[in-house]
């Protein structure tokens, strides 16, 4: 079964993303950074942005609950550049190689609407993507099976012929259940091996 295309997750597959990078500039102690991310701006709270809830709306209750953290909470929306430390080693180079080889590439990402344009501006390699399925636009997030259905409708390939790389196992398992050839991303070495075994890299 020949692989025809590559579908990429973005966060921690292409983009080295960690909100702690930003909040180390707001807090002196690492324990304060981790406490803020565990109790205030949590991943569960951020997931609502991925689902399409505007950040300006979603932060209001949080600011009311934690008024002393208002500046740090507001920084979430504009702080994406400081949350990112470039690209994950090897991925951008592989995307560029595949593009030059004529391999169709796409992205499926849990991403707030406010961050779509900044991601394209910060990471020009995104221009190699023929389509990008954004969770906030679809009001669905991985690993909801419905977002894989949306993706399958958007891509001009049978899911079985599309290799999908995501760093989260739950997203990979949901993609496999839908029929995608999904692989958990663990780093450049395994990525290259997976693409070589599918005859996409020499």
């Amino acid at each position: 079964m020949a692989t025809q295309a590559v579908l990429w997750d973005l966060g921690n597959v292409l983009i080295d993303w960690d909100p702690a990078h930003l909040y180390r500039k707001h807090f002196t102690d690492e324990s304060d950074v981790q406490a803020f991310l565990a109790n205030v701006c949590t991943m569960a709270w951020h997931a609502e942005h991925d689902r399409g809830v505007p950040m300006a709306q979603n932060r209001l209750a949080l600011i009311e609950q934690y008024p002393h953290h208002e500046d740090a909470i507001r920084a979430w929306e504009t702080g994406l550049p400081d949350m990112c430390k470039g690209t994950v080693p090897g991925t951008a180079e592989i995307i560029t190689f595949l593009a030059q080889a004529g391999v169709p590439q796409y992205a499926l990402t849990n991403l707030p609407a406010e961050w779509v344009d900044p991601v394209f501006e910060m990471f020009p390699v995104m221009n190699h993507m023929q389509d990008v399925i954004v969770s906030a636009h679809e009001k669905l997030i991985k690993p909801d099976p419905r977002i894989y259905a949306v993706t399958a409708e958007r891509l001009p390939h049978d899911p079985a012929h599309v290799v999908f790389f995501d760093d989260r196992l739950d997203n990979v398992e949901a993609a496999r259940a839908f029929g995608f050839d999904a692989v958990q991303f663990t780093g450049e070495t395994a990525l290259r091996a997976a693409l070589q075994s599918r005859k996409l890299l020499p």
Side-chain angles (χ1 to χ4, degrees), residues 11 15 21 30 50 58 71 82 93 110 131 150 156 181 193 201:
I15 301 168
H21 298 326
E30 181 66 19
D50 288 340
N58 198 37
D71 289 346
D82 287 326
E93 292 79 6
N110 284 353
D131 196 1
V150 169
D181 176 20
L201 284 182

Side-chain angles (χ1 to χ4, degrees), residues 6-110:
V6 181
L7 178 64
W8 299 97
D9 173 34
L10 297 183
N12 298 318
V13 174
L14 170 61
I15 301 168
D16 181 351
W17 179 80
D18 184 348
H21 298 326
L22 165 66
Y23 287 103
R24 290 187 181 109
K25 298 182 177 182
H26 284 259
F27 300 100
T28 303
D29 295 334
E30 181 66 19
S31 61
D32 292 334
V33 172
Q34 297 306 323
F36 178 80
L37 295 174
N39 301 300
V40 184
C41 287
T42 66
M43 286 299 100
W45 173 77
H46 176 65
E48 295 305 303
H49 306 145
D50 288 340
R51 287 189 174 91
V53 176
M55 292 190 187
Q57 171 187 330
N58 198 37
R59 64 177 169 240
L60 294 178
L62 211 57
I63 290 170
E64 184 175 350
Q65 186 176 0
Y66 301 100
H68 55 296
H69 284 318
E70 179 172 356
D71 289 346
I73 293 167
R74 289 184 180 277
W76 191 277
E77 179 173 352
T78 57
L80 178 64
D82 287 326
M83 292 182 182
C84 301
K85 281 197 170 181
T87 57
V88 174
T91 305
E93 292 79 6
I94 289 171
I95 290 172
T96 300
F97 178 89
L98 294 174
Q100 293 170 347
V103 177
Q105 297 178 87
Y106 309 86
L108 168 59
T109 177
N110 284 353

Side-chain angles (χ1 to χ4, degrees), residues 105-126:
Q105 297 178 87
Y106 309 86
L108 168 59
T109 177
N110 284 353
L111 190 70
E114 294 90 342
W115 288 356
V116 174
D117 288 343
V119 162
F120 272 86
E121 292 166 5
M122 293 166 57
F123 302 100
V125 71
M126 288 295 298

